[in-house]
Amino acid sequence: MNHVRWQPDRSVATNAWPHPSLVTAIGRGLIGRCPACGKAHLFNGFLRVANTCQNCKAPLGLARADDAPPYFTILVTAHIVVPLLVMVDRMGQPPIWLMSAIFVPLTLFVALGLLRPIKGGTVGLMLNLNMLKSDVAET
């Protein structure tokens, strides 16, 4: 009896949409453009990702960023606001109401300002690494 050893199929299927470099895909996502082609809009609303790119038909809606963008936004916002808060407190020790009046709105504006670009960058990363949801019916 002749035994044939099974070998898995290691070929990688190519995508129908353009596949730029990782840095290019993340950069396009950061500016709110399709990570694949860079020509169409990535978002349909403030944070709602378009289902497909109008130009290259990349399945943007299948890149489910979920909890990563808020986590990265909190991380970056904290690294910006906390050192400023400590510096202002050490320089003159202003009253708590003044610190709150300055840093609560600052934190809110920084977080809201960073959330959309960070989500776009995350979608770009996921599309580039082909980390797409496999079940289209669940979108």
Side-chain angles (χ1 to χ4, degrees):
M1 183 176 219
N2 204 1
H3 292 287
V4 177
R5 186 172 177 188
W6 177 79
Q7 292 292 324
D9 181 19
R10 295 177 192 250
S11 63
V12 178
T14 59
N15 297 325
W17 58 89
H19 193 74
S21 70
L22 181 65
V23 175
T24 303
I26 293 173
R28 289 175 179 169
L30 286 171
I31 61 172
R33 295 287 180 188
C34 170
C37 68
K39 295 182 179 154
H41 294 286
L42 177 60
F43 296 102
N44 276 341
F46 182 65
L47 290 175
R48 186 179 218 36
V49 177
N51 286 334
T52 58
C53 173
Q54 295 173 351
N55 185 49
C56 68
K57 306 299 184 224
L60 304 174
L62 295 181
R64 302 298 298 234
D66 295 336
D67 293 338
Y71 172 77
F72 294 135
T73 301
I74 291 169
L75 183 73
V76 172
T77 301
H79 278 83
I80 292 170
V81 173
V82 171
L84 291 173
L85 185 113
V86 170
M87 284 179 9
V88 168
D89 187 52
R90 298 283 180 202
M91 286 176 21
Q93 294 182 345
I96 296 293
W97 68 268
L98 183 60
M99 294 282 280
S100 297
I102 294 170
F103 287 103
V104 169
L106 177 67
T107 303
L108 180 69
F109 290 134
V110 169
L112 287 177
L114 289 175
L115 190 56
R116 186 174 165 141
I118 288 176
K119 184 167 184 174
T122 305
V123 169
L125 173 74
M126 294 176 75
L127 189 70
N128 188 274
L129 297 178
N130 209 23
M131 295 171 58
L132 305 175
K133 192 174 198 177
S134 59
D135 189 6
V136 179
E138 290 183 23
T139 19

